[in-house]
Amino acid sequence: MADTPEQSFASIAQRFNELPNTRKFAVLVSLAAAVALVVGLFLWARTPDYRVLFSNLSERDGGAVVTALQQMNVPYKMAEGSGAILVPSEQVYDLRFRLASQGLPRGGAIGFELMDNAKIGMTQFQEQVTYQRALEGELARTIQALSPVESARVHLAIPKPSVFIRDKQEPSASVFVNLYSGRALDVSQVNSIVHLVSSSVPELTPEHVTVVDQAGRLLTGKNDTGSLHGLNASQLDYLQEVESYYAKRVESIVSPIVGDGNVRAEVRADLDFSESESTSETYKPNPGAEQQTVRSHQSVLDINGGGNQATGIPGALSNQPPGPATAPLTAQAGATGTTAAASQTGTGSRREENTINYEVDRTIRHTKESLGRIKRLSVAVVVNYRQQPGQAAKPLAPDEMQQVTNLVREAMGFNQERGDTVNVVNTAFTETKVEPADIPLWKDPSNVAFAKETLKNLLVIGLAFYLVFGVLRPLLKDWLKAKPVEIEKNTEDLLAAFDAKLAKKELTGYDAHLSSVRDFAKQNPKAAADIIKEWMSKE
């Protein structure tokens, strides 16, 4: 009969108690080491994979982030050397969103919160310096909001105001941006930073703002040099936009005839970005006097001599006013008319002048040419052969090609005077099948993560299996085999003694044998039990 678990445990405990003390200590140490190793492997398998949550944080932001993680009961570790905060990989993005909702990290720059702790007795210079630091910090925070920018610093050079105009200096600013790996700022983003800073500081012009990246490249210098035929970035973008616009117009007008995907159009535009202004002033011949407009009219009357002067004794009777004067109201036709007449009356004279000014016809024309006007367009169009189900592709008929050419001319606004050209070609397209690139299994992120987790679990299971069946089981087996060997040896000795005892006695009958066995069992009960157990196992 098989032993029960209680009997087996009691037997193992009895055999363990019969071992020497040194062997007992070795057994206990081995069991403790095995258990500790299994527990350590289990904990290692259950330990999450940590990834970087934030790096290069200031002490203030790092403390705020750690406090928030402790409040959320999230395990974290600090990377030695880099100061990065590590959290379980499956919680990285969730924690970033949750911390961002709390405004963390705020960034190394300190903004207008510097003004919250203003000290009493602060001098005007200290107030100005504090305000400048706060403004620099706020600008840096705003610039860091751009997706390619990891961190930023702003330095403002604001001169001290002066009452003398000749000593007046203009402010300037320098911006340092630290970009993420593999990211870059385009020209529009650089211009945005420049105008953001210049608009935040009084009397700061965009020309006095400098932007530099972490590699020491001057980003604001890109605005001064062109990348194609002396064109700057904005002009180049406008050129590409014009060419794309006309290409889409051509494709959209031809596609209904030949089918989608059966037409390709490319446009080359020659644009004139030169700025020109002209002013012209034209004078027309003067018309007749009756068609002219009077601008001014002046009349002068001068009378000299004694013929009509007052004579006699001064008094009321001799002080009489002169008689009424007569003068013509108009003069001869002309741009300016002047008439002088003098008459002698006795010893006096009379002179009269009339001046009439007329408006002169004049035309002033001011012309300013627009930037980016089209000087010439060159359009190339490729049309695929007509595809018919079950048949080979065929070229388009000449009348169809002429129809396509006319549509292209109308769509592009063909102008022969400015030298536009159109070239329409009908040919069979070469189909190039691009098969999707198969990502190797060992490069697929999901497969890599699954393989790492599987290998970790297999390693733990394998080590645990080896400890149980390769170390503990043979050791326990040796312990269990040590006692049976000893018992078997003692049993053989007892059987030999029993046989010898039976041989000395003269036994007569069954009773004599039974009495001898009883005496032996009473004297050696344990040996008798082992003998019976051995007999039963053999049967």
Side-chain angles (χ1 to χ4, degrees):
M1 295 177 65
D3 295 339
T4 61
E6 292 79 5
Q7 294 176 351
S8 300
F9 180 77
S11 176
I12 293 174
Q14 181 180 358
R15 293 173 185 176
F16 178 78
N17 293 329
E18 294 175 357
L19 294 176
N21 293 331
T22 56
R23 194 166 184 182
K24 289 180 181 178
F25 180 76
V27 170
L28 292 177
V29 171
S30 300
L31 289 174
V35 172
L37 185 58
V38 171
V39 173
L41 290 175
F42 179 76
L43 294 177
W44 174 73
R46 294 294 301 271
T47 301
D49 183 18
Y50 281 84
R51 290 183 58 187
V52 176
L53 178 65
F54 295 112
S55 61
N56 299 326
L57 293 178
S58 62
E59 295 180 357
R60 183 172 182 176
D61 283 341
V65 171
V66 169
T67 302
L69 293 178
Q70 291 175 352
Q71 293 175 354
M72 291 185 289
N73 296 325
V74 176
Y76 68 91
K77 295 193 301 183
M78 301 296 297
E80 298 182 359
S82 62
I85 300 177
L86 306 178
V87 296
S89 58
E90 64 273 7
Q91 301 182 19
V92 170
Y93 297 103
D94 180 61
L95 289 175
R96 286 180 181 175
F97 290 137
R98 295 172 65 182
L99 293 175
S101 64
Q102 303 178 16
L104 295 176
R106 297 183 178 87
I110 302 177
F112 280 114
E113 58 267 20
L114 285 174
M115 310 297 294
D116 297 337
N117 300 323
K119 298 180 180 179
I120 300 176
M122 182 181 296
T123 63
Q124 184 179 3
F125 175 75
Q126 291 176 337
E127 291 179 354
Q128 181 63 28
V129 172
T130 303
Y131 172 76
Q132 183 171 336
R133 288 182 56 197
L135 183 58
E136 292 174 350
E138 292 293 336
L139 289 174
R141 287 179 179 177
T142 306
I143 295 173
Q144 287 175 188
L146 297 176
S147 57
V149 179
E150 182 178 4
S151 61
R153 294 192 64 183
V154 179
H155 303 278
L156 299 178
I158 302 177
K160 185 178 180 180
S162 175
V163 296
F164 301 100
I165 298 178
R166 66 179 63 182
D167 297 335
K168 184 178 181 181
Q169 298 180 358
E170 296 183 356
S172 60
S174 300
V175 180
F176 174 81
V177 292
N178 184 20
L179 306 178
Y180 286 104
S181 178
R183 306 293 297 274
L185 290 174
D186 55 23
V187 178
S188 61
Q189 291 174 324
V190 174
N191 291 334
S192 301
I193 295 175
V194 170
H195 288 278
L196 171 68
V197 176
S198 62
S199 301
S200 303
V201 180
E203 299 182 0
L204 178 59
T205 59
E207 291 78 13
H208 293 163
V209 179
T210 303
V211 182
V212 182
D213 63 359
Q214 72 271 21
R217 293 187 293 266
L218 183 63
L219 302 182
T220 50
K222 296 181 179 180
N223 300 330
D224 301 331
T225 58
S227 56
L228 179 64
H229 301 297
L231 302 180
N232 57 32
S234 59
Q235 293 175 350
L236 182 59
D237 292 340
Y238 178 72
L239 174 62
Q240 295 175 350
E241 182 180 353
V242 170
E243 293 177 346
S244 176
Y245 169 74
Y246 281 101
K248 289 180 179 179
R249 289 190 61 177
V250 171
E251 291 181 356
S252 63
I253 197 64
V254 180
S255 295
I257 299 177
V258 298
D260 294 337
N262 293 323
V263 59
R264 299 289 187 274
E266 289 292 335
V267 178
R268 182 183 182 279
D270 187 6
L271 305 182
D272 186 8
F273 290 100
S274 60
E275 186 176 2
S276 62
E277 296 182 5
S278 61
T279 303
S280 61
E281 186 173 352
T282 305
Y283 292 90
K284 295 182 179 179
N286 294 329
E290 64 279 359
Q291 299 178 358
Q292 292 183 341
T293 303
V294 177
R295 183 176 184 181
S296 63
H297 185 189
Q298 182 180 2
S299 299
V300 179
L301 177 62
D302 186 11
I303 301 175
N304 293 319
N308 293 329
Q309 294 182 353
T311 58
I313 301 171
L317 297 177
S318 61
N319 292 336
Q320 299 294 328
T326 59
L329 296 177
T330 58
Q332 296 180 356
T336 301
T338 302
T339 302
S343 61
Q344 298 292 337
T345 305
T347 59
S349 63
R350 177 187 179 93
R351 183 173 65 86
E352 183 179 352
E353 293 183 0
N354 288 331
T355 302
I356 301 176
N357 296 322
Y358 296 96
E359 292 289 350
V360 179
D361 289 342
R362 182 179 64 171
T363 302
I364 300 176
R365 181 178 291 104
H366 181 78
T367 304
K368 182 178 180 180
E369 298 291 343
S370 61
L371 295 176
R373 58 185 179 276
I374 299 176
K375 297 173 58 179
R376 184 171 179 269
L377 287 178
S378 300
V379 180
V381 182
V382 179
V383 180
N384 191 16
Y385 280 174
R386 187 176 299 279
Q387 304 290 334
Q388 296 180 355
Q391 299 181 6
K394 296 181 180 180
L396 298 180
D399 55 344
E400 293 178 333
M401 286 296 299
Q402 184 62 38
Q403 184 180 10
V404 171
T405 303
N406 294 336
L407 289 176
V408 172
R409 289 173 177 266
E410 294 295 332
M412 63 173 287
F414 181 80
N415 189 348
Q416 188 175 1
E417 295 180 356
R418 66 184 181 189
D420 294 350
T421 58
V422 177
N423 188 7
V424 180
V425 177
N426 183 214
T427 184
F429 286 3
T430 302
E431 296 183 0
T432 303
K433 296 183 179 180
V434 180
E435 298 182 358
D438 295 334
I439 301 177
L441 296 178
W442 59 87
K443 290 185 178 181
D444 191 355
S446 59
N447 293 337
V448 172
F450 177 76
K452 290 173 62 177
E453 191 68 22
T454 303
L455 289 176
K456 183 188 292 186
N457 295 331
L458 290 177
L459 179 61
V460 173
I461 295 173
L463 291 176
F465 185 84
Y466 174 74
L467 288 175
V468 173
F469 295 97
V471 178
L472 296 179
R473 186 172 180 274
L475 185 61
L476 294 175
K477 188 175 182 181
D478 293 339
W479 296 340
L480 295 176
K481 285 183 178 179
K483 189 64 179 177
V485 173
E486 185 178 357
I487 293 173
E488 183 179 356
K489 183 177 180 181
N490 296 334
T491 304
E492 291 177 356
D493 295 339
L494 291 174
L495 290 174
F498 179 72
D499 293 338
K501 187 175 181 180
L502 291 177
K504 292 179 181 180
K505 292 184 177 182
E506 295 180 357
L507 301 176
T508 57
Y510 175 77
D511 295 335
H513 289 282
L514 182 60
S515 177
S516 299
V517 172
R518 288 176 179 174
D519 294 339
F520 179 80
K522 292 179 180 180
Q523 297 175 0
N524 303 288
K526 187 175 181 181
D530 293 336
I531 292 172
I532 295 173
K533 185 184 294 186
E534 184 179 359
W535 287 347
M536 294 178 67
S537 63
K538 289 182 180 180
E539 291 179 358

